[in-house]
């Protein structure tokens, strides 16, 4: 049972790094950003996703084996019965003793990230009634001042900032719902959300990590693992933003590639300096998301794909790496393998998908006497994070 224990280390890193951008620029005096770029031509991949055709978002859920289907259903049941509380998902199965004294999401805090992941799952496999009910609750709980707050404390206090990737994930779920349920009401809601999103989380055509509704100040950076170009194409089109700006964002993502010898991606891009920035290590989940976004538009690097394949085959998809490519933390995460499975689906590599989803399956608790049976977590400490479980469920249904 050592794998689930290792899993939580990466989860904590994801939350900490994801929120790093929320606080690093909060004291700036600038209220907007201005980036001049010399993009004159829009590439074919960007032209293709710069569209409001919901069919672009159509996914065909994977045909699972009986064993995989059983694991998937147990995971879904665990989430519904243990993590879904008062219309939202708690960050952790266990409450934190200093729940409201930390700036990091933990314990029974609720995140719009989790809501967006569940909405995507409902758009893929749920009923329209289920989707609409949960979206209504998500909007009521998280939406305020034109955006979805990234976090609600256990005491009900909303954060003043969003995380733009979470807003986009919720919008993406609405697009997928529109495509699947063929109901025009989703298009109306999408337009309403985009109208404020483009004023706050998109500054002069540039997507930023967050917007602070209290100080009225945006971040001056963008994390590469926020640059979901396919989602952005739809949003930029609805918002009436230039495809040249989207092309520039695509360049930021594509050019964030570190090297052929270490084929992962830099962490973030600073609009003020025009330079990439990293933490001390490269977080594997963040780089895998960057690879996934590129694979969605057919622009993945072959070296990155080979890196993922080798790591999945050998079971060595480590949590983080030093900038020289050596492992910094050899613990592993089910979420990493879940994203690897999605990458396999996007590039049409059935072997990669199956290998990765098998490892995800191995992370699940299969002890009927355990209170977290069916979930992914630590059976001893009962630490179970919603992000891990929701990403695994999405991989099953992708």
């Amino acid at each position: 049972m050592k794998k689930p224990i290792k899993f939580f280390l990466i989860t904590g890193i994801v939350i900490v790094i994801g929120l790093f951008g929320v606080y690093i620029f909060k004291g700036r005096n600038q209220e907007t950003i201005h980036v001049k770029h010399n993009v004159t031509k829009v590439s074919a991949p960007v032209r293709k996703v710069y569209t409001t055709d919901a069919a672009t978002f159509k996914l065909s859920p994977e045909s699972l084996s009986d064993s995989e289907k059983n694991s998937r259903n147990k995971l879904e049941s665990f989430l519904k019965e243990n993590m879904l509380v008062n219309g939202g998902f708690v960050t952790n199965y266990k409450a934190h003793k200093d729940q409201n004294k930390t700036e990091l999401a933990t314990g029974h805090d609720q995140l719009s990230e989790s809501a967006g992941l569940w909405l995507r799952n409902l758009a893929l496999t749920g009923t329209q009634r289920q989707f609409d009910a949960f979206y209504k609750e998500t909007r009521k709980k998280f939406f305020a001042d034109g955006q979805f707050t990234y976090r609600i404390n256990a005491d009900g206090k909303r954060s003043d900032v969003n995380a733009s990737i979470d807003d986009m994930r919720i919008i993406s779920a609405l697009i997928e719902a529109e495509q699947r349920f063929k109901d025009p009401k989703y298009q109306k809601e999408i337009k309403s959300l985009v109208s404020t999103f483009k004023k706050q989380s998109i500054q002069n055509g540039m997507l930023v990590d967050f917007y602070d509704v209290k100080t009225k100040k945006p971040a001056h950076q963008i994390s590469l693992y926020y640059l979901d170009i396919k989602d952005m194409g739809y949003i930029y089109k609805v918002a009436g933003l230039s495809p040249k700006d989207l092309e520039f964002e695509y360049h930021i993502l594509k050019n964030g590639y570190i090297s052929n010898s270490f084929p992962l991606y830099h962490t973030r891009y600073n609009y003020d300096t025009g330079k990439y920035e990293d933490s001390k290590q490269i977080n594997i989940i963040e780089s895998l998301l960057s690879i996934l976004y590129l694979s969605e538009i057919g622009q993945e690097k072959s070296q990155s794909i080979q890196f993922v394949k080798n790591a999945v085959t050998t079971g060595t998809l480590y949590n983080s790496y030093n900038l020289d490519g050596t492992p910094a933390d050899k613990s592993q995460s089910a979420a990493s393998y879940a994203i690897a499975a999605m990458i396999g689906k996007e590039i049409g590599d059935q072997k990669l998908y199956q290998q990765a989803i098998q490892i995800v399956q191995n992370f699940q608790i299969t002890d009927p006497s355990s209170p977290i049976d069916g979930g992914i977590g630590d059976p001893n400490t009962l630490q179970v994070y919603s992000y891990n479980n929701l990403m695994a469920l999405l991989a099953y249904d992708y």
Side-chain angles (χ1 to χ4, degrees), residues 227-258:
L227 291 173
D228 189 332
I229 301 300
K230 186 176 77 170
D231 285 2
M232 291 170 66
Y234 193 103
I235 291 169
Y236 274 49
K237 181 72 172 181
V238 170
L241 296 168
S242 171
K244 292 180 181 179
D245 289 335
L246 182 60
E247 180 74 21
F248 182 73
E249 299 285 71
Y250 166 55
H251 286 177
I252 290 175
L253 175 59
K254 180 177 66 172
N255 296 334
Y257 182 73
I258 296 174

Side-chain angles (χ1 to χ4, degrees), residues 50 165 179 262 274 307:
Y50 186 71
I165 186 62
Q179 197 285 324
F262 184 40
F307 177 94

Side-chain angles (χ1 to χ4, degrees), residues 130-186:
Q130 289 172 326
F131 180 92
D132 289 352
F134 190 74
Y135 177 71
K136 182 179 180 180
E137 189 65 31
T138 296
R139 203 182 199 286
K140 177 182 177 182
K141 183 182 290 283
F142 289 96
F143 194 78
D145 301 308
Q147 62 187 26
F148 291 92
T149 179
Y150 93 90
R151 172 192 180 189
I152 299 175
N153 287 347
D155 63 2
K157 182 181 179 181
R158 285 192 179 105
S159 169
D160 293 324
V161 299
N162 71 331
S164 59
I165 186 62
D166 296 341
D167 292 64
M168 288 202 303
R169 190 181 289 113
I170 292 171
I171 293 171
S172 176
L174 288 165
I175 299 169
E176 290 169 335
E178 176 195 3
Q179 197 285 324
R180 182 166 174 235
F181 302 127
K182 312 299 182 186
D183 193 325
K185 69 180 180 182
Y186 298 113

Side-chain angles (χ1 to χ4, degrees), residues 8-239:
F8 299 110
L9 298 176
I10 187 69
T11 304
I13 291 171
V14 170
I15 293 174
V16 171
I17 291 178
L19 302 186
F20 182 63
V22 170
Y23 296 101
I24 189 169
F25 291 111
K26 211 169 178 184
R28 287 179 178 265
N29 293 321
Q30 301 99 317
E31 295 187 359
T32 188
I33 61 172
H34 296 277
V35 176
K36 292 183 179 180
H37 60 72
N38 57 0
V39 174
T40 58
K41 185 178 180 181
V42 178
S43 63
V46 171
R47 286 200 305 272
K48 185 176 180 180
V49 297
Y50 186 71
T51 177
T52 54
D53 182 2
T56 304
F57 286 75
K58 183 178 182 180
L59 289 174
S60 301
E62 192 67 26
S63 178
L64 302 175
S65 67
D66 289 342
S67 173
E68 291 165 346
K69 191 178 297 183
N70 182 56
S71 294
R72 182 256 175 228
N73 291 341
K74 284 186 175 180
L75 178 60
E76 181 183 48
S77 294
F78 172 80
L79 280 163
K80 288 179 177 179
E81 295 168 10
N82 297 280
M83 306 294 283
L84 187 56
V85 179
N86 297 325
F89 285 88
V90 292
T91 300
N92 197 319
Y93 177 78
K94 289 192 71 175
H96 192 278
K97 63 179 181 178
D98 295 318
Q99 185 69 62
N100 298 317
K101 297 180 181 179
T102 175
E103 289 188 339
L104 303 179
T106 186
H108 286 180
D109 289 348
Q110 295 191 359
L111 302 176
S112 57
E113 171 187 70
S114 299
L117 288 170
W118 185 247
L119 281 168
R120 286 207 64 197
N121 178 263
L122 290 175
L124 289 171
T125 63
T127 66
Q128 184 173 13
R129 183 177 180 179
Q130 289 172 326
F131 180 92
D132 289 352
F134 190 74
Y135 177 71
K136 182 179 180 180
E137 189 65 31
T138 296
R139 203 182 199 286
K140 177 182 177 182
K141 183 182 290 283
F142 289 96
F143 194 78
D145 301 308
Q147 62 187 26
F148 291 92
T149 179
Y150 93 90
R151 172 192 180 189
I152 299 175
N153 287 347
D155 63 2
K157 182 181 179 181
R158 285 192 179 105
S159 169
D160 293 324
V161 299
N162 71 331
S164 59
I165 186 62
D166 296 341
D167 292 64
M168 288 202 303
R169 190 181 289 113
I170 292 171
I171 293 171
S172 176
L174 288 165
I175 299 169
E176 290 169 335
E178 176 195 3
Q179 197 285 324
R180 182 166 174 235
F181 302 127
K182 312 299 182 186
D183 193 325
K185 69 180 180 182
Y186 298 113
Q187 181 61 225
K188 181 179 180 181
E189 180 67 5
I190 291 166
K191 288 180 179 179
S192 175
L193 295 178
V194 169
S195 68
T196 52
F197 187 76
K198 74 174 183 178
K199 296 174 183 177
Q200 297 176 178
S201 291
I202 301 177
Q203 296 285 316
N204 295 305
M206 301 293 106
L207 183 70
V208 296
D209 275 357
F210 69 88
Y211 182 81
D212 188 320
V213 296
K214 186 176 182 180
T215 65
K216 308 298 182 185
K217 295 175 184 177
H220 285 234
Q221 67 174 22
I222 184 62
S223 296
L224 270 64
Y225 55 98
Y226 279 30
L227 291 173
D228 189 332
I229 301 300
K230 186 176 77 170
D231 285 2
M232 291 170 66
Y234 193 103
I235 291 169
Y236 274 49
K237 181 72 172 181
V238 170

Side-chain angles (χ1 to χ4, degrees), residues 283-325:
N283 181 295
I284 190 60
I285 284 182
E286 295 168 355
S287 266
L288 287 171
L289 287 172
S290 295
I291 295 169
L292 176 62
Y293 300 152
L294 287 167
S295 69
E296 287 177 345
I297 60 174
Q299 297 301 304
E300 70 281 357
K301 296 279 289 186
S302 60
Q303 293 89 341
S304 296
I305 298 301
Q306 194 58 51
F307 177 94
V308 174
K309 285 183 178 181
N310 291 342
V312 169
T313 299
T314 58
T316 57
L317 196 56
Y318 297 130
N319 285 359
S320 62
Y321 294 81
N322 297 310
L323 293 175
D324 62 5

